């Protein structure tokens, strides 16, 4: 039996898609290595491989490399075994891995920013293979016929040509790798920008102009721009650095250009450069107030002094140029947006490039805070007939304010006030206003105005003057009738007067004004707490104020209160003040204080003043067991000669018959008794007084034309009768109201001598009951010279005749 030796295997290489030439294969290509045994195909062989630069663990006849790289290069051989018998190693077959060439793409021109309309060329560079015959492929291929040459040229690029560009080359059946992608972005056509370091050429100086292309390259040398300058639309000079100095005025512009042929940017904006003249304007504010309020009218003026040149004006406000205008910049309704710095300059109308310098800036401050005047009144509590001073204050009070003064009239339907202008209260220059003879509770407001047209503030908050006078048309009563109350007391405040609608108002200690919200008809019912302390008064639906009262609520539940009347006490009347506890315990050993001075220690717990005088007015408080009550003011109302100051006007006529005036009137009476024409005149007046067609006497009942009052003067009785008569005849002025006094004399002394009066009119001051400050003057005219005779025991006919003296009424203050 002959035993044959195993055959020698053969190794072959085969690419998956390209034939291998001389064992060469490109990197990343798939290759299969086969081990073939001739004549032993049907046998069961196990294979072993060696080759390359790594260990091979393949046992089949085929070894596949899916993506070859440098480590797979080298010689490959194999052998096989079966039944523990190995073949020889095959001859080595070499595998050479070829690394493909990577091209490079370049761009001409080599600017980093390309603009729409420029020409660009892409070039594919294959290093070390320049002489080989290559076919090129470009990505992206945007043309219908993709370029295959080394250069890819775009004549006029557009923004749609932006993207990433790369290339590769092919020779025979092999390709180079794709080049790295070069980014390419096409920008819209740029516009040159022109800047000037100043807008006017100073005398003997220059202005620097700078031109740039935006967006521009970070490196000006690589951008390739040249700059072309123009003055008044004519070519000026081309430079490369984009900066020039000019010494003459004009309209300047520029643009950039680069490439061949030249690619131009858009034109820059025009920059107007002026030539400065020596005049310098001045800006003024009118009115020149330190602060302007929203809504006011303000005028900013530009004044240029020197020469007769006519100017156009240009304004700058808050660094923003305003269009040329007149020399006034008027703000009709200012707001905070108008605040800022204002300046101006002038431009010659005859030479528009000749201008002044900018003026210095003037600062305008406009406040959005609306000014509100603050009104103060003094005194706040009235003595009837006293003068009240109103003061109105606004921020910056010296800055042109005029003042308006109003009386607050209650408006119950609107739960507010209407305002009625006070006499002579329209636009006063003084910020104070005096009201004479105020007797009743009243409210006042003010406001201020200034400027032309006039700007008005809001009205001030109303301020009040309070009167405790119970003789006003409306009054307020308190039940229980005392100033001080304990916490949780039930207190009723009732409005009285000939009115149907009421509201009760309170002015609290903290300055707040509020309404009573528990009104039943004309009565306000409260359950007292500390917050109820304040001043209370009534307001009627007809706009009347009542007397005012103080209410004090004791917050100390264990402390005493002083029981004192809420209204003024009439002089001469008696009053009892007492000290009380909430427990209603009868107190003893109570201390009473008047104006903080101890005046009585009373074991009965009360202070009795039998006849009150003005000196008793003041603050009172009591002290019990170491605890003090609050103090309350007790007001004393003074009377005149035991009667009210508002008594009959007849008493006020006494001034007519005092001193020398009495003697003169007696002499006139004796003289006129002898003149028959005066008796006729008396009868004429009396007949007219009772004639149906006669004029009505002003304020006097025709049926009661005489009112008599007996007055003791020594041993004589003097009777006066006062009536008002209009007489349109006998030479009297039919438009003049005249008051006549009829004086009758009885029981004169027999031996009294009378002297002639001097040839002059005598005036006697008479106070009327209507207003304490009103004056009435009685003019007594001297009759013709003559002797007055009277027989003892006989009554002369002329003695019973009526004697009339003319009385002129003075005007009332404030009317």
């Amino acid at each position: 039996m002959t035993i044959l030796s195993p055959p020698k295997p053969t190794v072959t290489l085969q690419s998956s898609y390209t034939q291998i030439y001389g064992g060469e294969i490109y990197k990343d290509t798939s290759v299969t290595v086969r081990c073939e045994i001739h004549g032993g195909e049907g046998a069961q062989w196990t294979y072993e491989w060696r080759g390359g630069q790594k260990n091979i663990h393949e046992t089949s006849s085929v070894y596949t490399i899916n993506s070859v790289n440098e480590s797979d290069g080298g010689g490959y051989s194999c052998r096989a075994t079966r039944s523990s018998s190995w073949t020889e190693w095959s001859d080595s077959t070499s595998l050479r891995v070829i690394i493909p060439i990577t091209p490079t793409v370049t761009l001409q021109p080599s600017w980093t920013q390309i603009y729409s309309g420029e020409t660009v060329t892409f070039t594919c560079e294959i290093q070390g293979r320049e002489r080989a015959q290559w076919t090129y492929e470009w990505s992206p291929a945007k043309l219908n016929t993709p370029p295959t040459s080394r250069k890819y040229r775009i004549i006029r690029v557009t923004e749609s040509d932006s993207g990433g560009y790369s290339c590769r080359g092919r020779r025979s059946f092999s390709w180079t790798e794709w080049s790295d992608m070069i980014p390419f972005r096409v920008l819209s056509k740029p516009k040159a920008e022109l800047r000037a370091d100043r807008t006017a050429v100073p005398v003997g100086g220059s202005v620097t102009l700078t031109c740039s292309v935006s967006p521009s390259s970070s490196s000006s040398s690589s951008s390739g721009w040249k700059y072309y300058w123009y003055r008044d639309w004519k070519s000026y000079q081309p430079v490369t650095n984009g900066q020039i100095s000019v010494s003459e005025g004009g309209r300047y512009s520029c643009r950039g250009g680069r490439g061949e042929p030249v690619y131009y940017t858009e034109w820059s904006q025009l920059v107007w450069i002026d030539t400065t003249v020596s005049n310098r304007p001045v800006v003024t504010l009118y009115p020149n107030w330190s602060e302007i309020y929203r809504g006011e009218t303000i005028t900013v003026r530009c004044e240029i002094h020197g020469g007769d040149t006519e100017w156009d004006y240009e304004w700058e406000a808050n660094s923003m140029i305003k269009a040329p205008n007149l020399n006034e910049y008027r703000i009709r309704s200012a707001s905070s947006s108008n605040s800022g710095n204002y300046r101006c300059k002038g431009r010659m109308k005859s030479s528009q490039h000749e201008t002044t310098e900018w003026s210095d800036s003037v600062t305008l401050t406009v406040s959005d805070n609306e000014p509100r005047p603050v009104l103060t009144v003094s005194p706040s509590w009235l003595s009837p007939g006293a003068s009240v001073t109103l003061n109105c204050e606004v921020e910056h009070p010296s800055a042109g304010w005029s003042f308006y003064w109003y009386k607050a009239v209650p408006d119950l339907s609107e739960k507010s006030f209407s305002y009625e202008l006070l006499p002579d209260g329209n636009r006063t220059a003084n910020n104070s206003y005096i009201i004479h003879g105020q007797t009743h509770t009243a409210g006042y407001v003010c406001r201020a105005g200034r400027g032309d047209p006039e700007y008005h503030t809001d009205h001030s908050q109303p301020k009040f003057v309070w009167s405790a006078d119970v003789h006003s048309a409306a009054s307020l009563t308190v039940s229980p009738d005392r100033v001080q109350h304990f916490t949780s007391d039930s207190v009723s405040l009732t409005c009285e007067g000939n009115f149907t609608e009421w509201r009760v108002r309170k002015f609290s200690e903290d300055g707040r004004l509020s309404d009573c919200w528990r009104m039943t008809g004309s009565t306000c019912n409260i359950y007292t707490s500390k917050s109820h302390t304040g001043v209370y008064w009534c307001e009627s639906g007809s706009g009347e104020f009542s007397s005012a009262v103080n209410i004090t609520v004791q917050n100390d539940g264990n402390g005493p209160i002083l029981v004192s009347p809420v209204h003024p006490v009439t002089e001469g009347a008696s009053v009892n003040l007492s000290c009380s506890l909430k427990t209603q315990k009868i107190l003893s050993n109570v201390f009473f204080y008047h104006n903080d001075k101890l005046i009585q220690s009373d074991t009965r717990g009360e202070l009795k003043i039998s006849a009150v005088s003005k000196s008793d007015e003041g603050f009172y408080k009591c002290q019990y067991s170491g605890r003090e009550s609050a103090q309350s003011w007790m007001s004393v109302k003074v009377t005149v000669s035991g009667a009210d100051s508002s008594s009959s006007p007849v008493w006020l006529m006494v001034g007519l018959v005092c001193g020398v005036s009495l003697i003169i009137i007696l002499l006139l009476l004796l003289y006129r008794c002898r003149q028959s024409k005066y008796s006729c005149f008396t009868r004429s007046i009396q007949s007219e007084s009772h004639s149906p067609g006669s004029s009505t006497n002003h304020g006097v009942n025709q049926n009661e034309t005489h009112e008599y009052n007996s007055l003791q003067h020594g041993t004589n009785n003097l009777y006066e009768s006062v009536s008002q008569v209009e007489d349109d005849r006998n030479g009297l002025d039919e438009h003049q109201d005249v008051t006549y006094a009829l004086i009758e004399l009885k029981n004169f002394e027999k031996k009294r001598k009378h002297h002639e009066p001097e040839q002059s009119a005598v005036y006697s001051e008479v106070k009327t009951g209507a207003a304490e400050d009103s004056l009435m003057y009685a003019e007594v005219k001297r009759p013709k010279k003559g002797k007055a005779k009277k027989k003892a025991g006989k009554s002369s006919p002329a003695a019973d005749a009526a004697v009339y003296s003319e009385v002129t009424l003075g005007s009332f203050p404030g009317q």
Side-chain angles (χ1 to χ4, degrees), residues 678-692 694-695 697 702 705-706 708 721 723 725-727 729-730 740 742-744 800-804:
Y678 288 107
S679 299
C680 295
F681 179 63
T682 303
R683 288 192 295 272
S684 175
I685 293 177
Q686 290 173 343
S687 64
E688 284 189 24
S689 175
H690 291 82
S691 173
S694 64
S695 300
N697 292 327
Q702 289 184 355
T705 58
H706 300 284
Y708 295 93
S721 175
S723 64
V725 181
E726 279 189 344
D727 196 334
R729 292 171 296 189
N730 298 313
Y740 295 92
L742 171 63
I743 303 177
E744 297 179 340
D800 295 332
V803 177
Y804 293 85

Side-chain angles (χ1 to χ4, degrees), residues 261-546:
V262 178
Y263 172 79
Y264 291 103
T265 67
E266 300 282 359
W267 293 92
S268 72
Q269 78 278 14
L270 283 173
V271 171
W272 189 299
I273 302 299
D274 296 319
T275 302
T276 305
V277 296
S278 58
N279 301 56
R280 187 179 181 89
V282 176
V283 174
T284 57
L285 296 178
Y286 179 80
N288 190 21
W289 296 325
S290 58
E291 186 169 16
I292 304 298
Y293 293 99
R294 181 177 60 190
E296 289 195 274
T297 298
I298 189 73
T299 300
V300 190
R301 289 177 178 169
C302 185
E303 298 177 359
I304 302 175
H305 300 286
D308 297 328
T309 304
E310 292 187 353
W311 301 93
D312 287 328
Y313 294 86
E314 189 172 330
W315 289 93
E316 182 185 82
N318 295 334
S319 301
M320 296 180 64
I321 301 295
K322 305 291 184 181
N325 206 336
L326 300 177
N327 68 323
E328 288 189 351
Y329 185 76
R330 190 172 178 86
I331 304 170
R332 297 192 178 275
S333 183
S335 67
S336 58
S337 63
N338 298 120
S339 296
N341 297 317
Y342 289 77
R343 64 175 186 166
C344 70
K345 70 177 180 180
R347 185 180 303 278
M348 290 185 182
K349 289 188 175 181
S350 59
S351 176
Q352 287 292 295
H353 289 306
E354 302 290 325
T355 71
T356 68
E357 295 181 81
W358 284 103
S359 69
D360 291 332
S361 294
V362 170
T363 301
L364 172 64
T365 302
V366 180
S367 174
D368 274 338
N369 298 322
E370 296 185 4
R372 183 154 195 155
V374 177
L375 178 67
T376 57
V377 297
S378 179
S380 57
W381 277 97
L382 284 174
S383 295
S387 294
V388 177
T389 300
L390 311 181
N391 281 285
C392 196
E393 294 291 342
V394 186
E395 289 181 304
H396 312 294
S398 62
W401 294 108
S402 295
F403 298 89
Y404 298 80
W405 308 92
Y406 304 87
K407 180 171 69 174
V409 180
D411 186 349
L412 270 59
S413 62
E414 297 294 332
K415 295 185 178 181
S416 60
F417 294 98
S418 60
Y419 303 131
E420 180 180 310
L421 197 66
L422 289 170
D424 300 324
N426 187 44
R427 199 172 187 179
T428 64
N430 198 336
N431 72 327
S432 64
Y433 183 94
I434 298 177
I435 301 170
H436 298 282
Q438 179 67 38
T439 58
H440 304 315
T441 298
Y444 300 97
V445 296
C446 71
R447 69 170 177 168
R450 67 179 184 180
D452 184 17
E454 190 171 23
Y455 167 84
H456 293 102
T457 67
D458 287 337
H459 292 86
S460 69
Q461 293 291 341
K463 293 293 182 180
F464 301 90
V465 289
W466 298 297
S467 172
D469 183 14
V470 295
H471 295 292
S472 59
S475 62
L476 173 62
T477 60
V478 180
S479 179
D481 183 12
R482 63 177 187 245
V483 174
Q484 297 184 22
H485 301 268
F486 296 107
T487 302
S488 300
D489 277 356
S490 176
V491 178
S492 297
L493 298 97
T494 301
C495 302
E496 297 178 349
N498 295 324
F499 309 104
T500 56
E501 291 186 274
W502 296 96
R503 70 179 173 198
V504 174
R505 309 210 88 183
K506 179 193 72 172
F507 189 80
S508 60
E509 290 179 306
D510 58 5
R512 290 186 299 174
L513 183 65
S514 59
D515 293 352
C516 175
W517 58 276
R518 296 186 63 183
M519 289 288 296
T520 303
S522 61
T523 300
C524 170
N525 298 296
I526 60 176
Y527 292 96
T528 56
S529 65
K530 184 62 176 177
S531 64
H532 288 106
T533 296
V535 182
Y536 289 79
W537 68 93
C538 298
E539 294 174 359
S540 74
S542 300
E544 297 290 336
F545 289 84
S546 76

